[in-house]
Each structure stands twice: as structure tokens, then as C-alpha cells.
Amino acid sequence: MPVYQQFVKQILNPLDLWRSGDYAEIRYLKEFERTQFLPPDELRELVWQRLHHIIDTAYRRIPYYKSVFDRAGLVPSDIKTDTDMLSVQILEKRDVQANLQTMLDPEFPKNRLIFDKTGGSTGTPVNYYYSIERKWARQAAMLRHDRWAGYDVGQRFASLWGAARDMPAPSWKQKIKSLIFPKTLQLNSIRMTPELMLEFNKQLKRYRPPVILAYANALALFAAFLKQQGVSVYRPKGIITSAEVLTPEDRKLIEETFGAPVFNRLGCREFSVIASECEHHNGMHLMAEGLYIELIRGSRLAETDETGEIIVTDLLNEAMPMIRYRLGDTASWVAGTCSCGRSLPRINNVAGRVTDFIVGMDNRLCSGVALATFIVSKRPSFGQIQIIQEEYGKILYRVGCGQNKPLQQHDLEFLREQTELYLGKGITIDYEYVDSIPHEASGKFIFSKSTVARKIFQ
Ligand SMILES: [Zn+2]
């Protein structure tokens, strides 16, 4: 590692974290770097200690869970095995929406709480809180998993991700920080025209980031475009894909085009990184020290090689415990141990959100995940939304409104204004109201579907 990178990693970054009160992130990183290689029995013991602790805390301190356990006639000491967990009621996204205040520890210091909300692409937007401790653990977990792909603190980094149009101008503190720390090169997947994609390639060649993080679908489209153009392409050391389902065809296309291995990742806003690939690319290792993961089929646990719904219990968020949260994605277990030596269990065949690009008025391509993040999640009152595009210049918002009233006038105005901002003026918008938008039989939720975008690079 070059001297300046070492200086940033060993001196400047710890100083900056200490100054901002986030030094505990380094403590968590050291812990996670060690625990990933624990013998399987010891790792399991650690996970179960944390699981008992969070269940016990939830039962004693959180009104919502006291009532969930009481209704089921359970006490925390009844939970001794994976199978026992099945008797605890599943936490649906709508339960979190309806019980936000009673799920929060009433005595948790407000100045140590972080508020956040999910994007709209997984079905139902959710508001939630986590503790500042959890923030440090999340950041450390992310860094550990980034390091598997070849990234380290002090290195340059690029992301092909959605960036909001209304991002505030950087403060003077951020400007000074950007002079010291390598900046992230942000390539905005919210608007991908042929000219901009050629520019992205040039920027990557100039900046030379060792690792690129990208929406799986956005990077596949970028790869298909570069291949079609026949231009020379920047080759990083590693690529992290996330936020969308990565198909085997897209993985092959990305790896061939960029000449680098893809490290696929499952993450979400509620829990940050859930699982990601190591250098052996044989399934994704769970972030097991922070999350207890179940794969279930109805009322039983999935067998190895059987697809199950992913149920997540956050082991480290005492402020607002999330116990048995239905993520909305499916996966299967990978048997055996990984050659990398990490004992973190592995999952595979993840099926989650499916998002197509939507074609805007000047043939710009706009990532579905980005649309979900910057339009739908701004208004949790929207509930479920799906975007369908079957012809150029026109889109259909399908709204799953259940018992709620269809969109109000101010919602329609907001949608029109935001849609024109991202897709261009003059686009025709239609609406269709349905009771609910079901997940596909495979467990996938299709947020955006465009038959127009698929034709562009065929
Ligand atoms: Zn491994």
C-alpha cells in the first residue's frame, strides 16, 4: 500500500473518527476481522449470546415485543434453538409502519438515535430507528465486506449508484475533508445517456479506483453499452454489485467487459450489509455477528438447498429491536465450509427486487432502484408502487392501495413533478389502482418493468 494510503488508514482516518465521536467503528472492525475466522461452534455461541440478549432486552423494555410474547404465551427463556424461534411472531413491514413508537425503547437517549427509512423498491416503504452503536457496527461491517473485494481505507473508490438531484452543496468541513481523504467518484445511475456513459468510462480511467460499487443492473447496462461501442474499458481489481438481483448472464457480461471479479452482495437500508461474496465466490457469507438469519418455508425452517424466505433479527440494535423481520427476499443455504476459512454461514440464489431501467424522453436511461429511492420513498404514504413502461414516452404507475384512498391531488402533482425531473418533460403518466401488488412466485418483487429499455442494447 502506498505511503499516503497508509498514512490515511493508520493516522488520519482514526483521528477523524475520534474527532467525530465515531472511533468505536475501529473497535468493531477489529472485532469483526477476528470473529469471521472463529471456529464454527464459537461463532454460533457468540450469535446465540447476542440473540438471547436482544430478545431479553426487547421483552423487558419494548412495549411492542412484551405484547407479542405475552400473546403467544412465550417468555425469552423459551427460545433455546433455531426451531424455537419459529414460535415468535414474524415482523412484517406493515407492523413496523403501524407500531413505530411502541417498538422504540422509551428510555433510550434521543441523542443516540438515528432515524432512517427504506427505499420504495421492495414493496412497502418503512421508517425506523437504530442506535449510534449500531451505526458504528454497520459501518465496520460494510468495511470488512468491502475489504474482501480488495478495497481498504485510504484508497480511491467509485460508485455507479443513484444520486439525488437535490443533493446539498458540500459544507466547508466536507470540502476540507475531501482534500485529505480520497474522494468517491460518483457516477450517477439516475441518468445514463450514451454521452454520459462514455464520460463515465473516461472518468474511471483518469481516477483509477481499485474497486467499483454498483447497482447490478446499472453496471450490466453500462457494460453492454461499452461492449457495443468497442471502446477500451477501465479495469478495476474488484467490483461489488448490490441492491438488485445479479443474473449469471449479467455477472459474465460485467466480468468479461471490466476484466475483474464480481463480489455480489445482499444488503438493505434496514440492516446494511447482510451477506456478501468472498474471494472464492461460492455463495455469500452472512454478517452473522450482527444479524441472525433464518430461511423459512411457511412455518418450518428451510432445508439445505431448499429456497426459503429470509427472516432477519438484528442482534445489535437495542434502541429499536427488529426481531424476525420479513425482508421480502428469498435464498438457500450453502452446505459445507468455504475454502477462505471464514466460518460465517453462506447463502446463495438470492431472489429479491427486480428493477428495469426506464427510458426517459431524450432516450436517457434511469435506474429503477434510483427512481424508487428518490421518488417513491420520499412519500411513505404511497404504499406499494410499481412502474411499468411498454412504450416510449409513457409510463404507468400501478398503485397497491389496499384499504387506503388512491393518491391525493398533491401526491399526483408530486409524482408528475418528480417524474418529469428524472425522465424529462412531456412524458405521459397513467395510473392503475389495485388492492396489492403481489411478489412473484419466485419471491421476487418487480418494482419497475420496461420492455422499451431491454430493446436498446439488443
Ligand atoms: Zn469464503
Side-chain angles (χ1 to χ4, degrees), residues 277-282 285 338-342 346:
E277 286 178 12
C278 69
E279 61 279 18
H280 290 274
H281 308 278
N282 185 6
H285 286 286
C338 185
S339 319
C340 71
R342 294 180 182 93
R346 286 170 298 158

Side-chain angles (χ1 to χ4, degrees), residues 3 5 52 57 71 123 135 146 322 331 336 355 367 396 402 429:
V3 177
Q5 274 174 28
H52 281 139
T57 305
R71 275 204 309 272
K135 181 185 97 171
D146 288 347
M322 295 271 215
T355 52
S367 152
L396 168 77
I429 305 174

